[in-house]
Amino acid sequence: MVEISIKEGFILAKLALKGGEPVRTRPFPKWPIFDKRELEALKSVLESGLWGVGGSRKKEFEEKFASYQHAKYGVAVTSGTAALEVSLRALGIGCGDEVIVPPYTFMATVTTIFYVNAIPIFADIDPEAYTLDPKSVETVISERTKAILPVHISGRPADMDGLLSLAKKYDLYILEDACQAWGSEWRGKRVGAIGDIGTFSFQSSKNITSGEGGMIVTNDDDLYAKAWSLHNCGRLLKGPWYEHHLPGGNYRMTEFQAAILLVQLERFDEQTEKRMSNARYLNSKLSKIDGIKPLKDDERITRNAYHLYIFRFDPEAFGGVSKSTFAEALQAEGIPVSVGYSRPLYKEPYLDYFKRCPLSCPYYGKSVDYSKVRLPVAEKACYTEGLWLRQYALLGSKEDMDDIVAAFEKVKENVDELKK
Ligand SMILES: Cc1ncc(COP(=O)(O)O)c(C=O)c1O
């Protein structure tokens, strides 16, 4: 029953968005987290005089991070975007090749395919997991398909069983976009090198960060040698400085970034445990609210980095209120919820830029019209259903989680105020 406060003849709103008292005004843990160790690490790089080439931190971080991801090799680069582009080139993907991607991801997953003159082909996501749906992937495989590019969105591994079996059946590469999934595991194996090659991001919002940065991991000797060469101006691992064997560029991570990341990695396990335990708590509480569904449990996911806590919102259970209004109401209550991706990537204007090449390239010999693509699950996720809680909120205390639950319950109880 909605309680209505009346003061001096006015009906006072309960919801903070309408002028009521917010559930909380205290901030959640501040992001990024650092302490004296990062400051000392930076100082020691400064004083060494080796800020880039010649330093030891980049190599040390490559080895530590690769081993953390259960991979043989790591190549540290300037960003997740660079990691994707270099990985595609290392796989030899180029003109006339198709790469299958989900449309519910950050734009770099798709634009980097265009950067190598290949063609992104969109497949739908699973309605309860929001990761690439192998059934949909199989429907778009063609004689031109060279690779599947699953995204471990929010830290949640994609269905690697289904995707690996397709890769085997059709002889395709798998490039894992693990830019949000440091330490995430599928059946006990960390993501990135479950397929042929994988990528990570250390951009400022990410759970391990140096402001910007990226990593490529692989178990394959040849792919490692190629990725290493491509990120370092086409040089050979043991070759002379001015010999350029592949059309690479300068994508090298600096020693400052690597020094910070080595420290960030030390904290990471403890932070991940906390995010996972808070996410479990939220799952148990929020799933009791009619109209809120956390992504489904999957016992094959043995660790989840929770870069985002994604949940599904049903506008009908909230009297027809839109997901953006619901997000605004929660924000006003002091909860960092956002609408996330609000249209599938095949609807973005940037696609026009590639209309001539590679989309109409005679070498490709086919034509793709993205305006005809309709992927209902991804559209629902973007337009009406998918909402995100930011990762740093999951580093809060049990009381912080209870505030989140209280805010959801409060908005649900007073949803009529949002319709006015
Ligand atoms: C899924 C995904 N792929 C790729 C990237 C690109 O990483 P970066 O921003 O480091 O270039 C990001 C980063 O936002 C991402 O979330």
Side-chain angles (χ1 to χ4, degrees), residues 20 36-37 73-74 89 143 157 211 220 243 257 267 317 388 392:
K36 275 208 307 243
R37 285 175 289 168
Y73 300 113
R89 288 192 196 283
E143 71 294 344
D220 184 290
E243 254 184 37
Q257 289 165 296
R267 274 187 213 99
W388 302 351
Y392 55 83

Side-chain angles (χ1 to χ4, degrees), residues 94-97 144 360-366:
C95 301
D97 296 335
R144 291 286 194 170
S360 314
C361 171
Y363 186 78
Y364 178 44
K366 287 169 76 178

Side-chain angles (χ1 to χ4, degrees), residues 51-63:
W51 299 355
V53 175
S56 61
R57 271 86 169 179
K58 173 174 177 282
K59 183 138 187 32
E60 186 185 342
F61 182 58
E62 287 171 340
E63 287 169 4

